[in-house]
Amino acid sequence: MWIFRKSTPVNWLKIAPRGLLAEPRGGYSWVYQEYGVWPELPAFDTAVTAVAQFLRALPRVYNADPDHIYLMGFSQGAAVSYATAMRHPGIARAIAGLVGFIPDACATPTNLVALEDMPIFMAVGLEDKLVPYERALGCAGVLRQADAQLSFNEYHTGHKLNSQGMRDLHDWWHER
């Protein structure tokens, strides 16, 4: 996540917790996920609990303003960001979901009300093999159904954010 730190204003406190689960091939995940399988919202509950506890500790540990907490996640981290906002309404003011997805079976009125009017930057890779474009479109539909303030951004790239995406993300954060 540190590659995205330059997209946010310089005076913002930036903290990037890593996924809870060590991956066999290296790296970390928030939930175990098979290729092409989209976990449902309850699968993220352990990760969401950890992230929410972490966010609630920020004012005490870092003197962070609890009224100005924003979430940004890449791939599965985007799913955790959305799930955290749904499970803990009001915990964040905006979300940047970067080439990620929304957990399956979350489009219920109870879950979506937390995203109503929330500014959301969604970056989609048109050539993404891990989160296919059709999946991203479905996720955008859920955010629109929630009446989120969706900024939907498509890029000619795979499972990453290209230079135009980085500029757009920078501009979007600076509007916050």
Side-chain angles (χ1 to χ4, degrees):
M1 288 302 296
W2 291 112
I3 193 168
F4 302 113
R5 76 181 178 279
K6 292 180 182 178
S7 71
T8 60
V10 290
N11 61 334
W12 282 16
L13 172 66
K14 299 158 190 83
I15 301 172
R18 76 168 188 219
L20 302 171
L21 307 170
E23 283 290 328
R25 293 178 288 179
Y28 293 86
S29 292
W30 291 102
V31 298
Y32 288 118
Q33 177 182 356
E34 293 181 40
Y35 178 77
V37 176
W38 308 105
E40 293 189 359
L41 187 57
F44 290 91
D45 284 350
T46 300
V48 165
T49 298
V51 170
Q53 288 174 346
F54 181 79
L55 294 175
R56 288 193 178 101
L58 291 177
R60 179 177 39 81
V61 176
Y62 292 103
N63 197 31
D65 182 350
D67 293 327
H68 291 92
I69 293 187
Y70 305 94
L71 303 176
M72 180 167 47
F74 180 85
S75 193
Q76 210 180 68
V80 172
S81 296
Y82 296 129
T84 300
M86 285 187 260
R87 293 288 203 210
H88 298 273
I91 201 163
R93 298 292 172 245
I95 298 171
L98 311 177
V99 295
F101 60 94
I102 293 177
D104 260 3
C106 70
T108 66
T110 303
N111 294 328
L112 296 184
V113 72
L115 301 177
E116 186 177 346
D117 291 325
M118 181 177 285
I120 296 178
F121 179 94
M122 185 176 184
V124 174
L126 292 169
E127 299 148 26
D128 193 338
K129 303 272 190 260
L130 294 177
V131 181
Y133 181 69
E134 294 75 26
R135 173 71 189 180
L137 285 178
C139 294
V142 170
L143 294 172
R144 288 185 181 106
Q145 181 183 346
D147 289 325
Q149 295 175 26
L150 180 62
S151 173
F152 182 78
N153 303 273
E154 301 173 342
Y155 303 101
H156 289 282
T157 188
H159 196 65
K160 60 183 177 178
L161 199 60
N162 63 15
S163 58
Q164 182 60 54
M166 293 294 275
R167 286 189 296 275
D168 293 345
L169 179 62
H170 173 275
D171 294 346
W172 187 83
W173 277 127
H174 282 75
E175 291 173 10
R176 308 279 77 77

